[in-house]
Amino acid sequence: MRNLTMLTDLYQLTMMYGYYKTGAYEEEAVYDLFFRRQNEMTNHAVCAGLEQVIELIENLKFQEEDIQYLRSLHLFDEAFLAFLKDFKFTGDLYAMPEGTIVFPMEPLIRVRSPICEAQLLETALLNIVNHQTLIATKASRVCYSAQGDDVFEFGLRRAQGPDAGIYGARAAIIGGCTSTSNVLTAQMFGAPAAGTHAHSWVMSFPTELDAFRAYANLYPNTCVLLVDTYNTLKSGVPNAIKVFQEQRRKGFEPIGIRLDSGDLAYLSKQARRMLDDAGFPDCRIFASGDLDEYTIADLKSQGAKIDVWGVGTRLITGHDHPALGGVYKLAAIYPDGVEIPKLKISENANKITNPGEKKVARLYSREDGKAIADLIMLASEELDETKPLRIFDPVETWKHMTVKDYTVRYLLVPVYQKGELVYRSPILPEIAAYARAEQNTFWDEYLRVNRPHIYKVDLSDKLYDLKRQMIAEKTDFD
C-alpha cells in the first residue's frame, strides 16, 4: 500500500503550522465531506473510494525524506517538523459504505479529530472520493440506460493516467458495470476481466476470414469476433457466421460478435437477422464506440438489437461532468470539550453549509421498503419510529409532509474510532451487490437519467433552527 501523506495542498501544511504555533493543534474539530448539486448528473451520487481512504489513513506517516523536503521550503520551524515525525490519525471517522446512494449536502464522510489531523486529510480525501464517486455515479447512469444489459468498462486507454484508469474501473464496477478490460484492476480487486480483439488483429492477417478462424481456434469456448474492420454486413458478419458454423461442427458454440462503428441501431438489427437466419439466435451482439447513457437510451428507443455494451471514454473521464464538486467543510470545534458549531455564509444559498456534528437518517416505507426521504440531523438526535415525523424542505419550507409507518437507517457508519480501524472493507463483488440492492430501494423516478424527480433531503427541526439562528447572528452587522 502506498504512503500518500504528502498528497496534499501546501496550504494544509501552513494551516497546520499555524494551529501548532497558536497552541490550537490538539483542539478537536469536525469536518464534513459532501457535494453540491450542479446539474442532473449530481442529482444523486453513488459513494465510492472508502477502501482507498482507509489505505490512506493506515499509511499516514511523514517519512524522513518528507521532513527533509519540508525543511527545504523554509516555512516551518524544527519543533513543528519534529511534531510531524510522530504524526498519525487518532480521531474518529464515519462514512457511508461504498455503493450507498447519496444526495447533495449529505455528509459522505465525517471526521472528528484534533484539527491538524482533520486538516491534513482534506486534500487526499477529496481527491479519492471525488474521483471514484464521480465515476461510480456515471457508471450507474450508463447501466440504468442499459436496462439490465451487461455493461463492460473499456476506458483504460483514455483515462487521465494510471490511477484514474485503475480506480475508475473499480468505481465503474461499483456503479454497475459487470466487467472491465483493465487487467490490473481485475487482478487487484477481483473484478471480472473482459475483452475480445482489436481491428489490428484482423488487419494483420491476409484476410478477415483467416483472422476470424485463427481467433476462434485460440478461444473456441469464448469466441467474440469484431466484425466492422472492412464491411460489417457484406464481409464481417458473413465471415463470422462461416467461422461459427465451422466451430459448431467441432462442438463449440460462439459467444457473439462486436460492432464498434457505424449506425449501431441499423447494423445490430441486420446482424441479428443474419445470425438468426444462420441458426445462431443465442449469439450475442456486443457494441462499443463512444457510448454513454444518452446514446444507449437513444439506441434502445430505436430498437437496437444489442445485448452487451462496452463503454470507455465517456465513462472513465466523466465526459459531460468532469468533477463531482465535493467539498470538505468545518462543521464544529471543541475548545475545552464544548461543541461550538460552525457554518460558512454565502450569497449563494446552495453554498451555505450545515453547522454542527451531524448524521444522515434514511426513512423507508414499511409497506414496500422504498426510500421516502433523508433527514440530515444533529449527531445527538434519535428518531422514534413509533411516532409520526413531520419533515419539510429546508429552503421552500411550505413544502412539508408527515411520514408514518416507516423505518430508519442511519447511513454513516464508524470506520475509525480513536484512531483505530473498526471497519472491514468488503471485497469489490460484495460492494457491487450492495450497490445494486441500494438502487432497488429507490423508485425509478429518482434514478432516471433525464429530468429525475428531486428526492427529499430535509433538515431536522433542531438542525434547521440552529442553522437559521447562526445565519441571523452572522449577518447582523447593525
Side-chain angles (χ1 to χ4, degrees), residues 206-450:
T207 69
E208 184 177 58
L209 186 58
D210 290 333
F212 286 178
R213 280 175 174 153
Y215 193 81
N217 287 332
L218 284 170
Y219 301 104
N221 293 305
T222 58
C223 183
V224 178
L225 299 175
L226 178 60
V227 297
D228 71 334
T229 303
Y230 301 122
N231 187 299
T232 300
L233 299 180
K234 293 183 179 180
S235 172
V237 176
N239 280 330
I241 289 172
K242 184 177 295 185
V243 171
F244 291 161
Q245 289 169 336
E246 293 171 357
Q247 291 297 107
R248 176 174 281 176
R249 287 193 288 271
K250 298 176 183 177
F252 302 109
E253 288 296 317
I255 299 296
I257 62 171
R258 178 161 72 96
L259 306 171
D260 189 55
S261 61
D263 185 335
L264 295 178
Y266 171 75
L267 292 174
S268 66
K269 292 175 189 177
Q270 295 302 311
R272 180 76 275 155
R273 178 184 59 78
M274 294 167 71
L275 289 166
D276 290 350
D277 289 348
F280 295 98
D282 296 327
C283 186
R284 304 175 83 188
I285 296 177
F286 295 65
S288 54
D290 288 329
L291 299 174
D292 61 15
E293 65 266 45
Y294 305 106
T295 307
I296 291 174
D298 191 40
L299 288 167
K300 283 281 190 180
S301 71
Q302 296 175 56
K305 301 298 183 181
I306 296 169
D307 305 296
V308 182
W309 308 84
V311 186
T313 304
R314 292 173 180 260
L315 192 166
I316 203 67
T317 63
H319 176 73
D320 55 342
H321 191 88
L324 180 69
V327 295
Y328 185 82
K329 297 298 182 183
L330 179 67
I333 59 173
Y334 294 83
D336 302 320
V338 178
E339 180 180 9
I340 300 179
K342 297 288 182 177
L343 89 165
K344 176 185 179 295
I345 300 289
S346 172
E347 292 183 0
N348 182 345
N350 190 45
K351 289 194 172 185
I352 299 177
T353 60
N354 293 315
E357 188 169 0
K358 298 171 295 296
K359 60 186 177 184
V360 183
R362 181 158 293 165
L363 313 179
Y364 297 90
S365 167
R366 288 188 185 275
E367 181 179 357
D368 55 32
K370 296 291 188 181
I372 302 169
D374 285 5
L375 197 65
I376 306 175
M377 54 199 299
L378 297 175
S380 59
E381 293 186 80
E382 294 291 336
L383 295 178
D384 186 347
E385 298 177 6
T386 66
K387 296 180 180 179
L389 178 65
R390 179 182 177 275
I391 60 176
F392 61 92
D393 188 288
V395 178
E396 299 171 337
T397 54
W398 61 90
K399 297 180 179 179
H400 59 84
M401 65 182 292
T402 299
V403 183
K404 300 178 181 178
D405 198 23
Y406 64 94
T407 60
V408 176
R409 173 185 165 214
Y410 296 105
L411 300 184
L412 290 166
V413 302
V415 179
Y416 282 88
Q417 292 184 328
K418 296 182 179 179
E420 295 297 323
L421 180 63
V422 296
Y423 180 80
R424 182 194 72 84
S425 293
I427 60 174
L428 186 57
E430 292 173 339
I431 298 171
Y434 166 74
R436 289 193 298 270
E438 267 285 279
Q439 292 205 358
N440 290 335
T441 64
F442 286 87
W443 296 106
D444 284 345
E445 289 84 349
Y446 299 121
L447 304 180
R448 66 191 179 208
V449 170
N450 291 312

Side-chain angles (χ1 to χ4, degrees), residues 120-193:
L120 181 63
L121 289 178
E122 176 178 3
T123 300
L125 289 187
L126 287 172
N127 177 273
I128 293 167
V129 174
N130 268 329
H131 174 246
Q132 289 201 45
T133 299
L134 173 73
I135 304 306
T137 303
K138 184 69 171 179
S140 75
R141 291 165 59 83
V142 169
C143 294
Y144 183 89
S145 290
Q147 299 176 16
D149 295 344
D150 283 337
V151 177
F152 293 172
E153 185 279 317
F154 280 175
L156 178 58
R157 64 187 63 189
R158 301 287 177 80
Q160 283 102 339
D163 275 5
I166 294 166
Y167 295 106
R170 177 185 184 276
I173 298 293
I174 293 173
C177 292
T178 53
S179 297
T180 177
S181 66
N182 188 327
V183 177
L184 184 53
T185 294
Q187 179 188 27
M188 289 173 62
F189 302 110

